[in-house]
């Protein structure tokens, strides 16, 4: 009896140690995951933006690195957009006008999500209707795709009845304000007024 009790005690000890080990392991894992999700929240803003290599309205290659030291006001859209895009480019232009001389420290950038139709001459003509300092960027489909991915922008051809070259694009309609270091500062929804946009930019100059 005494022998079997001892054996039983030993089994309890072994089981206890294994259970304790599993719990400690689980705890460490939960702690790590918790830390990861905290990091994710703290650096969530860093998820928007990143390097791009595109071509401007004069056919000149441009990268995001050229704009370090300026704030970038970035909008993704397309020149055939019937409503939201022109309104947004106008809001950006009006916000820059409202900033006066300070606007020199802000680079407005239009990036097409429709490189098939938006060639350099097409985007050049388009942005000429808005603020004179606009840089319009296009590129190969894969260059544009990479820029969209960096900014977490969604863009896709909408199904069209006629087919062919007469299509609309569904796309994210946010305006992104990026810092002098190229990092994300804030974004504006289409409901933002030029005054609100100017104010938010001025706070970060
Ligand atoms: Ni649009």
């Amino acid at each position: 009896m005494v022998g079997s009790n001892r054996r039983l005690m030993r089994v309890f000890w072994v089981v206890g140690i294994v259970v304790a080990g599993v719990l400690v392991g689980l705890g460490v894992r939960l702690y790590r995951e918790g830390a990861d999700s905290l990091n994710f929240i703290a650096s969530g803003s860093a998820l928007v933006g990143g390097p791009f290599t595109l071509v401007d309205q004069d056919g000149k290659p441009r990268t995001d690195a050229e704009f370090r030291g300026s704030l970038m006001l970035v909008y993704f859209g397309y020149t055939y957009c019937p409503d939201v895009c022109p309104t947004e480019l106008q809001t950006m232009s009006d916000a820059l006008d409202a900033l006066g001389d300070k606007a020199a420290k802000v680079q407005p950038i239009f990036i097409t999500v429709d490189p098939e139709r938006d060639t350099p001459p097409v985007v050049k003509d388009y942005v000429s209707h808005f603020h004179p300092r606009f840089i319009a960027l296009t590129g190969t489909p894969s260059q544009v795709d990479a820029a969209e991915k960096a900014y977490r922008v969604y863009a896709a051809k909408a199904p069209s009845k006629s087919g062919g070259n007469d299509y609309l694009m569904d796309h994210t309609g946010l305006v992104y304000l990026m810092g002098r270091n190229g990092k994300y500062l804030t974004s504006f929804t289409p409901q933002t007024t030029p005054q609100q946009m100017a104010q938010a930019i001025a706070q970060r100059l």
Side-chain angles (χ1 to χ4, degrees), residues 75-86 113 126 169-173:
Y75 183 75
F76 287 77
Y78 68 112
T79 68
Y80 291 81
C81 182
D83 40 38
V84 182
C85 288
V113 295
Y126 187 63
M169 300 284 297
D170 292 328
H171 67 96
T172 308

Side-chain angles (χ1 to χ4, degrees), residues 146-164:
E148 287 170 8
K149 284 211 172 73
Y151 278 78
R152 303 293 186 267
V153 163
Y154 167 79
K157 268 186 204 179
S160 76
K161 287 173 219 155
S162 57

